[in-house]
Amino acid sequence: MGDNLIPLILGMAAVTYGPRLLPFLFFSNTPIPRRVDAFLKCIPVAAIGALIIPGVMTATPEFPPAALLGIGFTAVYGFFKGGIIVPVLGSVGVTYLALAGLG
């Protein structure tokens, strides 16, 4: 059964890599308009928000304010300092402290 999976995995990799590679090959020298560039820079933030926030709100069903404190820390720290490691680890620590101390 393992021999049948290798061509399947390679085929799926080619199908998913192709649409990502083609724009770089065909449009690498084309300048991007400023408005389109500004829009494209907003997509990662919107995607993270859509993927993470619903999970965070259901992560602590016994004490939802702990999740809000963690989100608050991440939003404030991320807005002023940026980065990803410190906001994520800090939000985990704030949520833990909130659950241990308040929950």
Side-chain angles (χ1 to χ4, degrees):
M1 180 162 162
D3 294 337
N4 295 335
L5 290 179
I6 299 298
L8 178 66
I9 292 171
L10 292 175
M12 289 190 301
V15 167
T16 57
Y17 186 70
R20 292 181 171 111
L21 176 66
L22 291 177
F24 287 107
L25 294 177
F26 292 119
F27 300 114
S28 62
N29 295 327
T30 305
I32 298 174
R34 285 181 26 191
R35 291 180 63 98
V36 173
D37 188 49
F39 172 76
L40 291 174
K41 287 181 180 177
C42 294
I43 290 176
V45 175
I48 289 293
L51 293 171
I52 291 180
I53 290 177
V56 167
M57 296 308 295
T58 59
T60 57
E62 66 277 357
F63 192 63
L68 292 176
L69 288 171
I71 289 174
F73 173 82
T74 303
V76 171
Y77 189 91
F79 181 76
F80 288 109
K81 296 286 187 172
I84 191 162
I85 300 296
V86 174
V88 169
L89 293 177
S91 67
V92 170
V94 167
T95 303
Y96 175 77
L97 291 174
L99 287 173
L102 302 174

Coordinates of all heavy atoms in Angstrom, one line a residue:
M1 N 0.8 -1.2 0.0 CA 0.0 0.0 0.0 C 0.9 1.3 0.0 O 0.5 2.3 -0.6 CB -0.9 0.0 1.2 CG -1.8 1.2 1.3 SD -3.1 0.9 2.4 CE -3.7 2.5 2.7
G2 N 2.0 1.2 0.6 CA 2.9 2.4 0.7 C 3.4 2.8 -0.7 O 3.7 4.0 -0.9
D3 N 3.6 1.8 -1.6 CA 4.1 2.1 -2.9 C 3.1 2.9 -3.7 O 3.4 3.7 -4.6 CB 4.5 0.8 -3.7 CG 5.7 0.2 -3.1 OD1 6.4 0.8 -2.4 OD2 5.8 -1.1 -3.3
N4 N 1.8 2.7 -3.4 CA 0.8 3.4 -4.2 C 0.6 4.9 -3.7 O 0.1 5.7 -4.4 CB -0.6 2.7 -4.0 CG -0.6 1.4 -4.7 OD1 0.2 1.1 -5.6 ND2 -1.4 0.5 -4.2
L5 N 1.1 5.1 -2.5 CA 0.9 6.5 -1.9 C 1.9 7.5 -2.4 O 1.7 8.7 -2.5 CB 1.0 6.4 -0.4 CG -0.2 5.7 0.3 CD1 0.0 5.7 1.8 CD2 -1.5 6.4 0.0
I6 N 3.1 7.0 -2.8 CA 4.2 7.9 -3.3 C 3.7 8.7 -4.5 O 3.8 9.9 -4.5 CB 5.5 7.2 -3.5 CG1 6.0 6.5 -2.2 CG2 6.5 8.1 -4.1 CD1 6.3 7.5 -1.1
P7 N 3.2 8.1 -5.6 CA 2.8 8.9 -6.7 C 1.6 9.8 -6.4 O 1.5 10.9 -6.9 CB 2.3 7.8 -7.7 CG 3.0 6.6 -7.3 CD 3.2 6.6 -5.9
L8 N 0.7 9.4 -5.5 CA -0.4 10.2 -5.0 C 0.1 11.5 -4.3 O -0.3 12.6 -4.6 CB -1.3 9.4 -4.1 CG -2.5 10.2 -3.6 CD1 -3.4 10.6 -4.7 CD2 -3.2 9.3 -2.5
I9 N 1.1 11.3 -3.4 CA 1.6 12.4 -2.7 C 2.4 13.4 -3.6 O 2.2 14.6 -3.6 CB 2.6 11.9 -1.6 CG1 1.7 11.2 -0.5 CG2 3.4 13.1 -1.0 CD1 2.6 10.5 0.6
L10 N 3.2 12.8 -4.6 CA 3.9 13.7 -5.5 C 2.9 14.4 -6.4 O 3.2 15.6 -6.8 CB 4.9 12.8 -6.3 CG 6.1 12.2 -5.6 CD1 6.9 11.3 -6.4 CD2 6.9 13.3 -5.0
G11 N 1.9 13.7 -6.8 CA 0.9 14.4 -7.7 C 0.2 15.5 -6.9 O -0.1 16.6 -7.5
M12 N -0.2 15.3 -5.7 CA -0.8 16.4 -4.9 C 0.1 17.5 -4.7 O -0.3 18.7 -4.7 CB -1.3 15.8 -3.6 CG -2.5 14.9 -3.7 SD -3.3 14.5 -2.2 CE -2.0 13.7 -1.3
A13 N 1.4 17.2 -4.5 CA 2.4 18.3 -4.3 C 2.5 19.1 -5.6 O 2.6 20.4 -5.5 CB 3.7 17.7 -3.9
A14 N 2.5 18.5 -6.7 CA 2.6 19.2 -8.0 C 1.4 20.1 -8.2 O 1.5 21.2 -8.7 CB 2.8 18.2 -9.1
V15 N 0.2 19.5 -7.9 CA -1.0 20.3 -8.2 C -1.1 21.5 -7.2 O -1.6 22.5 -7.6 CB -2.2 19.3 -8.0 CG1 -3.5 20.1 -7.9 CG2 -2.3 18.3 -9.1
T16 N -0.6 21.4 -6.0 CA -0.7 22.5 -5.1 C 0.4 23.5 -5.3 O 0.3 24.7 -5.1 CB -0.7 22.1 -3.6 OG1 0.4 21.3 -3.4 CG2 -2.0 21.3 -3.3
Y17 N 1.6 23.0 -5.8 CA 2.7 23.9 -6.0 C 2.6 24.7 -7.3 O 3.0 25.9 -7.4 CB 4.0 23.1 -6.0 CG 5.3 23.9 -6.1 CD1 5.6 24.7 -5.0 CD2 6.1 24.0 -7.2 CE1 6.8 25.5 -5.0 CE2 7.2 24.7 -7.3 CZ 7.5 25.5 -6.2 OH 8.7 26.3 -6.3
G18 N 2.0 24.1 -8.3 CA 1.8 24.8 -9.6 C 1.2 26.1 -9.5 O 1.7 27.1 -10.0
P19 N 0.0 26.2 -8.9 CA -0.7 27.6 -8.9 C 0.1 28.6 -8.1 O -0.1 29.8 -8.2 CB -2.0 27.3 -8.2 CG -2.3 25.8 -8.5 CD -0.9 25.2 -8.5
R20 N 1.0 28.2 -7.2 CA 1.8 29.1 -6.4 C 3.0 29.6 -7.2 O 3.5 30.7 -7.1 CB 2.2 28.5 -5.1 CG 1.0 28.3 -4.2 CD 1.5 27.7 -2.9 NE 0.4 27.7 -2.0 CZ -0.3 26.6 -1.5 NH1 0.1 25.4 -1.9 NH2 -1.3 26.7 -0.7
L21 N 3.5 28.7 -8.1 CA 4.7 29.0 -8.8 C 4.4 29.8 -10.1 O 5.2 30.7 -10.4 CB 5.4 27.7 -9.2 CG 6.6 27.8 -10.1 CD1 7.8 28.5 -9.4 CD2 7.1 26.5 -10.6
L22 N 3.3 29.6 -10.8 CA 3.0 30.2 -12.0 C 3.0 31.8 -11.9 O 3.5 32.4 -12.8 CB 1.7 29.7 -12.6 CG 1.8 28.2 -13.1 CD1 0.4 27.7 -13.6 CD2 2.8 28.1 -14.2
P23 N 2.3 32.4 -10.9 CA 2.3 33.8 -10.9 C 3.7 34.4 -10.8 O 4.0 35.5 -11.3 CB 1.5 34.2 -9.7 CG 0.6 33.0 -9.5 CD 1.4 31.8 -9.9
F24 N 4.6 33.7 -10.0 CA 6.0 34.2 -9.9 C 6.7 34.1 -11.3 O 7.5 35.0 -11.6 CB 6.8 33.4 -8.9 CG 6.4 33.7 -7.5 CD1 5.6 32.9 -6.7 CD2 6.7 35.0 -6.9 CE1 5.2 33.2 -5.4 CE2 6.3 35.3 -5.6 CZ 5.6 34.4 -4.9
L25 N 6.5 33.1 -12.0 CA 7.1 33.0 -13.3 C 6.6 34.0 -14.3 O 7.4 34.5 -15.1 CB 6.9 31.5 -13.9 CG 7.6 30.4 -13.1 CD1 7.2 29.1 -13.7 CD2 9.1 30.6 -13.0
F26 N 5.3 34.2 -14.4 CA 4.8 35.1 -15.4 C 4.7 36.6 -15.0 O 4.7 37.4 -15.9 CB 3.4 34.6 -15.8 CG 3.4 33.3 -16.5 CD1 2.7 32.2 -15.9 CD2 4.0 33.1 -17.7 CE1 2.7 31.0 -16.6 CE2 4.0 31.9 -18.3 CZ 3.4 30.9 -17.8
F27 N 4.6 36.9 -13.7 CA 4.4 38.3 -13.3 C 5.6 38.8 -12.4 O 5.4 39.8 -11.7 CB 3.1 38.4 -12.5 CG 1.9 38.0 -13.3 CD1 1.2 36.9 -13.0 CD2 1.5 38.7 -14.4 CE1 0.1 36.5 -13.7 CE2 0.4 38.4 -15.2 CZ -0.3 37.3 -14.8
S28 N 6.7 38.2 -12.5 CA 7.8 38.6 -11.6 C 8.4 40.0 -11.9 O 8.8 40.7 -11.0 CB 9.0 37.6 -11.6 OG 9.5 37.5 -13.0
N29 N 8.3 40.4 -13.2 CA 8.8 41.8 -13.5 C 7.7 42.8 -13.7 O 7.9 43.9 -14.0 CB 9.6 41.7 -14.8 CG 10.8 40.9 -14.7 OD1 11.4 40.9 -13.6 ND2 11.2 40.2 -15.7
T30 N 6.5 42.4 -13.4 CA 5.3 43.4 -13.5 C 5.2 44.1 -12.2 O 5.1 43.6 -11.1 CB 4.0 42.6 -13.7 OG1 4.2 41.8 -14.9 CG2 2.9 43.5 -14.0
P31 N 5.2 45.5 -12.2 CA 5.0 46.2 -11.0 C 3.6 46.1 -10.5 O 2.6 46.1 -11.2 CB 5.3 47.7 -11.4 CG 5.1 47.7 -12.9 CD 5.4 46.3 -13.4
I32 N 3.4 46.0 -9.2 CA 2.1 45.9 -8.5 C 1.6 47.3 -8.1 O 2.4 48.0 -7.5 CB 2.2 45.0 -7.3 CG1 2.7 43.6 -7.7 CG2 0.9 44.9 -6.6 CD1 2.9 42.7 -6.5
P33 N 0.4 47.6 -8.5 CA -0.1 48.9 -8.1 C -0.2 49.1 -6.6 O -0.3 48.1 -5.8 CB -1.5 49.0 -8.7 CG -1.5 48.0 -9.8 CD -0.5 46.9 -9.4
R34 N 0.0 50.3 -6.1 CA 0.0 50.5 -4.6 C -1.2 50.1 -3.9 O -1.1 49.5 -2.8 CB 0.3 52.0 -4.4 CG 1.7 52.4 -4.7 CD 2.0 53.9 -4.4 NE 1.1 54.5 -3.4 CZ 1.1 55.8 -3.1 NH1 1.8 56.6 -3.8 NH2 0.3 56.2 -2.2
R35 N -2.4 50.3 -4.5 CA -3.6 49.9 -3.8 C -3.7 48.3 -3.7 O -4.1 47.8 -2.7 CB -4.8 50.4 -4.5 CG -5.0 51.9 -4.4 CD -6.2 52.5 -5.1 NE -7.4 51.9 -4.6 CZ -8.2 52.5 -3.7 NH1 -7.8 53.7 -3.3 NH2 -9.3 52.0 -3.3
V36 N -3.3 47.6 -4.8 CA -3.3 46.2 -4.7 C -2.3 45.7 -3.7 O -2.5 44.7 -3.0 CB -3.0 45.6 -6.1 CG1 -2.8 44.1 -6.1 CG2 -4.1 46.0 -7.1
D37 N -1.1 46.3 -3.7 CA -0.1 45.9 -2.7 C -0.6 46.1 -1.3 O -0.4 45.3 -0.4 CB 1.2 46.8 -2.9 CG 2.3 46.3 -2.1 OD1 2.6 45.1 -2.0 OD2 3.0 47.1 -1.4
A38 N -1.3 47.2 -1.0 CA -1.8 47.5 0.3 C -2.9 46.4 0.7 O -2.9 46.0 1.8 CB -2.4 48.9 0.4
F39 N -3.7 46.1 -0.3 CA -4.7 45.0 -0.1 C -4.0 43.7 0.2 O -4.4 43.0 1.2 CB -5.6 44.9 -1.3 CG -6.5 43.7 -1.2 CD1 -7.7 43.8 -0.4 CD2 -6.3 42.6 -2.0 CE1 -8.5 42.7 -0.3 CE2 -7.1 41.5 -1.9 CZ -8.3 41.6 -1.1
L40 N -3.0 43.3 -0.5 CA -2.3 42.0 -0.3 C -1.6 42.0 1.0 O -1.5 40.9 1.6 CB -1.4 41.8 -1.4 CG -2.0 41.5 -2.8 CD1 -0.9 41.4 -3.9 CD2 -2.8 40.3 -2.8
K41 N -1.2 43.1 1.5 CA -0.5 43.1 2.9 C -1.5 42.9 4.0 O -1.1 42.5 5.1 CB 0.2 44.4 3.1 CG 1.5 44.5 2.2 CD 2.2 45.8 2.4 CE 3.5 45.8 1.6 NZ 4.2 47.0 1.7
C42 N -2.8 43.1 3.7 CA -3.8 42.9 4.8 C -4.3 41.5 4.9 O -4.9 41.1 5.9 CB -5.0 43.8 4.5 SG -4.7 45.6 4.7
I43 N -4.0 40.7 3.9 CA -4.6 39.3 3.8 C -4.0 38.4 5.0 O -4.8 37.7 5.6 CB -4.3 38.7 2.4 CG1 -5.2 39.4 1.4 CG2 -4.6 37.2 2.5 CD1 -5.0 38.9 0.0
P44 N -2.7 38.5 5.3 CA -2.3 37.6 6.4 C -2.9 37.9 7.7 O -3.3 37.0 8.5 CB -0.8 37.9 6.5 CG -0.4 38.3 5.1 CD -1.6 39.1 4.6
V45 N -3.2 39.2 8.0 CA -3.8 39.6 9.3 C -5.2 39.1 9.3 O -5.7 38.5 10.3 CB -3.7 41.1 9.4 CG1 -4.5 41.6 10.7 CG2 -2.3 41.6 9.5
A46 N -5.9 39.3 8.2 CA -7.3 38.8 8.1 C -7.4 37.3 8.2 O -8.3 36.7 8.9 CB -8.0 39.3 6.8
A47 N -6.5 36.6 7.6 CA -6.5 35.1 7.7 C -6.2 34.6 9.1 O -6.9 33.7 9.6 CB -5.5 34.5 6.7
I48 N -5.2 35.2 9.7 CA -4.9 34.8 11.1 C -6.1 35.1 12.0 O -6.5 34.2 12.8 CB -3.7 35.6 11.6 CG1 -2.4 35.1 10.9 CG2 -3.5 35.5 13.1 CD1 -2.1 33.7 11.2
G49 N -6.7 36.2 11.8 CA -7.9 36.5 12.6 C -9.0 35.5 12.4 O -9.7 35.1 13.4
A50 N -9.3 35.2 11.2 CA -10.4 34.2 10.9 C -10.1 32.8 11.4 O -11.0 32.1 11.7 CB -10.6 34.2 9.4
L51 N -8.8 32.5 11.4 CA -8.4 31.1 11.8 C -8.2 31.0 13.3 O -8.6 29.9 13.9 CB -7.1 30.7 11.1 CG -7.3 30.5 9.6 CD1 -5.9 30.3 9.0 CD2 -8.2 29.3 9.3
I52 N -7.7 32.0 13.9 CA -7.3 31.8 15.3 C -8.3 32.3 16.3 O -8.6 31.6 17.3 CB -5.9 32.6 15.6 CG1 -4.8 31.8 14.9 CG2 -5.6 32.7 17.0 CD1 -3.5 32.4 15.0
I53 N -9.0 33.4 16.1 CA -9.9 34.0 17.1 C -11.0 33.0 17.5 O -11.3 32.9 18.6 CB -10.4 35.4 16.6 CG1 -9.2 36.3 16.7 CG2 -11.5 35.8 17.5 CD1 -9.5 37.7 16.3
P54 N -11.7 32.3 16.5 CA -12.7 31.4 17.0 C -12.2 30.3 17.9 O -12.8 29.9 18.8 CB -13.3 30.8 15.7 CG -13.0 31.8 14.6 CD -11.7 32.5 15.1
G55 N -11.0 29.8 17.6 CA -10.4 28.7 18.4 C -10.0 29.3 19.8 O -10.1 28.6 20.8
V56 N -9.5 30.5 19.8 CA -9.1 31.1 21.1 C -10.4 31.2 22.0 O -10.3 31.0 23.2 CB -8.4 32.4 20.9 CG1 -8.3 33.2 22.2 CG2 -7.1 32.2 20.2
M57 N -11.4 31.7 21.4 CA -12.6 31.9 22.2 C -13.2 30.6 22.8 O -14.0 30.7 23.8 CB -13.7 32.7 21.4 CG -13.2 34.1 21.0 SD -12.6 35.1 22.4 CE -14.1 35.3 23.4
T58 N -13.0 29.5 22.2 CA -13.5 28.2 22.7 C -12.4 27.4 23.4 O -12.7 26.3 23.9 CB -14.1 27.4 21.5 OG1 -13.0 27.1 20.6 CG2 -15.2 28.1 20.9
A59 N -11.2 28.0 23.6 CA -10.1 27.2 24.2 C -10.3 27.1 25.7 O -9.9 26.1 26.3 CB -8.8 27.8 23.9
T60 N -10.9 28.1 26.3 CA -11.1 28.1 27.8 C -12.6 28.3 28.1 O -13.1 29.3 28.5 CB -10.3 29.3 28.4 OG1 -10.7 30.5 27.8 CG2 -8.9 29.1 28.2
P61 N -13.4 27.2 27.8 CA -14.9 27.4 28.0 C -15.3 27.6 29.5 O -16.3 28.2 29.7 CB -15.4 26.1 27.5 CG -14.3 25.1 27.5 CD -13.1 25.9 27.4
E62 N -14.4 27.2 30.4 CA -14.7 27.3 31.8 C -14.5 28.8 32.3 O -15.1 29.2 33.3 CB -14.0 26.4 32.7 CG -12.5 26.6 32.7 CD -11.7 26.0 31.6 OE1 -12.3 25.3 30.7 OE2 -10.5 26.2 31.5
F63 N -13.7 29.5 31.6 CA -13.4 30.9 32.0 C -13.1 31.8 30.8 O -11.9 32.0 30.5 CB -12.3 31.0 33.0 CG -12.2 32.3 33.7 CD1 -13.2 32.8 34.5 CD2 -11.0 33.0 33.6 CE1 -13.0 34.0 35.1 CE2 -10.8 34.2 34.2 CZ -11.9 34.7 35.0
P64 N -14.1 32.2 30.0 CA -13.8 32.9 28.7 C -13.0 34.2 28.9 O -12.3 34.6 28.0 CB -15.2 33.2 28.1 CG -16.0 32.1 28.7 CD -15.5 31.8 30.1
P65 N -13.1 34.9 30.1 CA -12.3 36.2 30.2 C -10.8 35.9 30.1 O -10.0 36.8 29.7 CB -12.7 36.7 31.6 CG -14.1 36.2 31.8 CD -14.1 34.9 31.1
A66 N -10.4 34.7 30.4 CA -8.9 34.4 30.3 C -8.5 34.5 28.8 O -7.4 35.0 28.5 CB -8.6 33.0 30.9
A67 N -9.3 34.0 27.9 CA -9.0 34.1 26.5 C -9.0 35.6 26.1 O -8.2 36.0 25.3 CB -10.0 33.3 25.7
L68 N -9.9 36.4 26.6 CA -10.0 37.8 26.2 C -8.7 38.5 26.8 O -8.2 39.4 26.1 CB -11.2 38.4 26.8 CG -12.5 38.0 26.2 CD1 -13.7 38.6 26.9 CD2 -12.6 38.3 24.7
L69 N -8.3 38.1 27.9 CA -7.0 38.7 28.4 C -5.8 38.4 27.5 O -5.0 39.2 27.3 CB -6.8 38.3 29.9 CG -7.7 38.9 30.9 CD1 -7.5 38.2 32.3 CD2 -7.4 40.4 31.0
G70 N -5.8 37.1 27.1 CA -4.7 36.7 26.2 C -4.7 37.4 24.9 O -3.7 37.9 24.4
I71 N -5.9 37.5 24.3 CA -6.1 38.3 23.1 C -5.7 39.7 23.2 O -5.1 40.3 22.4 CB -7.5 38.2 22.5 CG1 -7.8 36.7 22.0 CG2 -7.8 39.1 21.4 CD1 -9.3 36.5 21.6
G72 N -6.1 40.3 24.4 CA -5.8 41.7 24.7 C -4.3 41.9 24.7 O -3.8 42.9 24.2
F73 N -3.6 41.0 25.4 CA -2.2 41.2 25.5 C -1.5 41.1 24.1 O -0.7 41.9 23.8 CB -1.6 40.1 26.4 CG -0.1 40.1 26.4 CD1 0.6 41.0 27.2 CD2 0.6 39.2 25.5 CE1 2.0 41.0 27.2 CE2 2.0 39.3 25.5 CZ 2.7 40.1 26.3
T74 N -2.0 40.1 23.3 CA -1.4 40.0 22.0 C -1.7 41.2 21.1 O -0.8 41.7 20.4 CB -2.0 38.7 21.3 OG1 -1.7 37.6 22.2 CG2 -1.4 38.5 20.0
A75 N -2.9 41.7 21.2 CA -3.2 42.9 20.4 C -2.4 44.1 20.8 O -1.8 44.8 19.9 CB -4.7 43.2 20.5
V76 N -2.3 44.4 22.1 CA -1.6 45.6 22.5 C -0.1 45.4 22.3 O 0.5 46.3 21.7 CB -1.9 45.8 24.0 CG1 -1.0 46.9 24.6 CG2 -3.3 46.2 24.2
Y77 N 0.5 44.3 22.6 CA 1.9 44.1 22.4 C 2.2 44.1 20.9 O 3.2 44.7 20.5 CB 2.4 42.8 23.1 CG 3.9 42.7 23.1 CD1 4.7 43.2 24.1 CD2 4.6 42.2 22.0 CE1 6.0 43.1 24.1 CE2 6.0 42.1 22.0 CZ 6.7 42.6 23.0 OH 8.1 42.5 23.0
G78 N 1.4 43.4 20.2 CA 1.7 43.3 18.7 C 1.5 44.6 18.0 O 2.3 45.0 17.1
F79 N 0.6 45.5 18.5 CA 0.4 46.8 17.9 C 1.6 47.7 18.1 O 2.1 48.4 17.3 CB -0.9 47.4 18.4 CG -1.1 48.8 17.8 CD1 -1.6 48.9 16.5 CD2 -0.9 49.9 18.5 CE1 -1.9 50.1 16.0 CE2 -1.2 51.2 18.0 CZ -1.7 51.3 16.7
F80 N 2.1 47.7 19.4 CA 3.2 48.6 19.7 C 4.6 48.1 19.4 O 5.5 48.8 19.0 CB 3.1 49.0 21.2 CG 2.0 49.9 21.5 CD1 0.9 49.4 22.2 CD2 2.0 51.2 21.0 CE1 -0.2 50.3 22.5 CE2 0.9 52.0 21.3 CZ -0.2 51.6 22.0
K81 N 4.8 46.8 19.6 CA 6.2 46.2 19.4 C 6.3 45.4 18.1 O 7.4 45.2 17.6 CB 6.5 45.4 20.6 CG 6.7 46.1 21.9 CD 7.9 47.0 21.9 CE 8.1 47.6 23.3 NZ 9.3 48.2 23.4
G82 N 5.2 44.7 17.7 CA 5.3 43.8 16.5 C 5.9 42.5 16.9 O 5.9 42.1 18.1
G83 N 6.3 41.7 15.9 CA 6.8 40.4 16.2 C 5.7 39.4 16.3 O 4.5 39.7 16.2
I84 N 6.1 38.1 16.5 CA 5.1 37.1 16.7 C 5.4 36.2 17.8 O 4.5 35.7 18.5 CB 5.0 36.2 15.4 CG1 3.8 35.3 15.4 CG2 6.2 35.4 15.1 CD1 3.3 34.8 14.1
I85 N 6.7 36.0 18.1 CA 7.0 35.0 19.2 C 6.6 35.6 20.6 O 5.9 34.9 21.4 CB 8.6 34.7 19.2 CG1 9.0 34.1 17.9 CG2 9.0 33.8 20.4 CD1 8.4 32.8 17.6
V86 N 7.0 36.8 20.9 CA 6.7 37.3 22.2 C 5.2 37.5 22.4 O 4.6 37.1 23.5 CB 7.4 38.7 22.5 CG1 7.0 39.3 23.7 CG2 8.9 38.4 22.5
P87 N 4.4 38.0 21.4 CA 3.0 38.1 21.6 C 2.3 36.7 21.8 O 1.4 36.6 22.7 CB 2.5 38.8 20.3 CG 3.6 39.5 19.8 CD 4.8 38.7 20.2
V88 N 2.7 35.7 21.1 CA 2.1 34.4 21.3 C 2.5 33.8 22.6 O 1.6 33.3 23.4 CB 2.5 33.5 20.1 CG1 2.1 32.0 20.4 CG2 1.9 33.9 18.8
L89 N 3.8 33.8 22.9 CA 4.2 33.3 24.2 C 3.6 34.1 25.4 O 3.2 33.5 26.4 CB 5.7 33.2 24.3 CG 6.4 32.2 23.4 CD1 7.9 32.3 23.5 CD2 5.9 30.8 23.6
G90 N 3.5 35.4 25.2 CA 3.0 36.2 26.3 C 1.5 36.0 26.5 O 1.0 36.0 27.6
S91 N 0.8 35.8 25.4 CA -0.7 35.5 25.5 C -0.9 34.2 26.2 O -1.9 34.0 27.0 CB -1.4 35.6 24.1 OG -0.9 34.5 23.3
V92 N -0.1 33.2 25.9 CA -0.2 31.9 26.6 C 0.1 32.1 28.1 O -0.7 31.6 28.9 CB 0.8 30.9 26.0 CG1 0.9 29.6 26.9 CG2 0.4 30.5 24.6
G93 N 1.1 32.9 28.4 CA 1.4 33.1 29.8 C 0.3 33.9 30.5 O -0.1 33.5 31.7
V94 N -0.2 34.9 29.9 CA -1.3 35.7 30.5 C -2.6 34.9 30.7 O -3.2 34.9 31.7 CB -1.6 37.0 29.6 CG1 -2.9 37.6 30.0 CG2 -0.5 37.9 29.7
T95 N -2.9 34.0 29.7 CA -4.1 33.2 29.8 C -3.9 32.2 30.9 O -4.8 31.9 31.7 CB -4.3 32.5 28.5 OG1 -4.5 33.4 27.4 CG2 -5.6 31.6 28.5
Y96 N -2.7 31.6 31.0 CA -2.4 30.6 32.1 C -2.5 31.3 33.5 O -3.1 30.7 34.4 CB -1.0 30.0 31.9 CG -0.6 29.2 33.1 CD1 -1.1 27.9 33.2 CD2 0.3 29.6 34.1 CE1 -0.8 27.0 34.2 CE2 0.6 28.8 35.2 CZ 0.1 27.5 35.2 OH 0.4 26.7 36.3
L97 N -1.9 32.5 33.6 CA -2.0 33.2 34.9 C -3.5 33.5 35.2 O -3.9 33.5 36.4 CB -1.2 34.4 34.9 CG 0.3 34.2 34.9 CD1 1.1 35.5 34.7 CD2 0.8 33.5 36.1
A98 N -4.2 33.9 34.2 CA -5.6 34.2 34.5 C -6.4 33.0 34.9 O -7.2 33.0 35.8 CB -6.3 34.8 33.2
L99 N -6.1 31.9 34.3 CA -6.8 30.6 34.7 C -6.4 30.1 36.0 O -7.2 29.6 36.8 CB -6.5 29.5 33.6 CG -7.3 29.7 32.3 CD1 -6.8 28.6 31.3 CD2 -8.8 29.6 32.5
A100 N -5.1 30.3 36.3 CA -4.6 29.8 37.6 C -5.0 30.7 38.8 O -5.3 30.3 39.9 CB -3.0 29.7 37.6
G101 N -5.0 32.0 38.5 CA -5.3 33.0 39.6 C -6.7 33.4 39.7 O -7.2 33.6 40.8
L102 N -7.4 33.4 38.6 CA -8.8 33.9 38.6 C -9.8 32.8 38.4 O -11.0 32.9 38.8 CB -9.0 35.0 37.6 CG -8.1 36.2 37.7 CD1 -8.3 37.1 36.5 CD2 -8.3 37.0 39.0
G103 N -9.4 31.8 37.7 CA -10.4 30.7 37.3 C -10.5 29.8 38.5 O -11.2 29.1 39.0

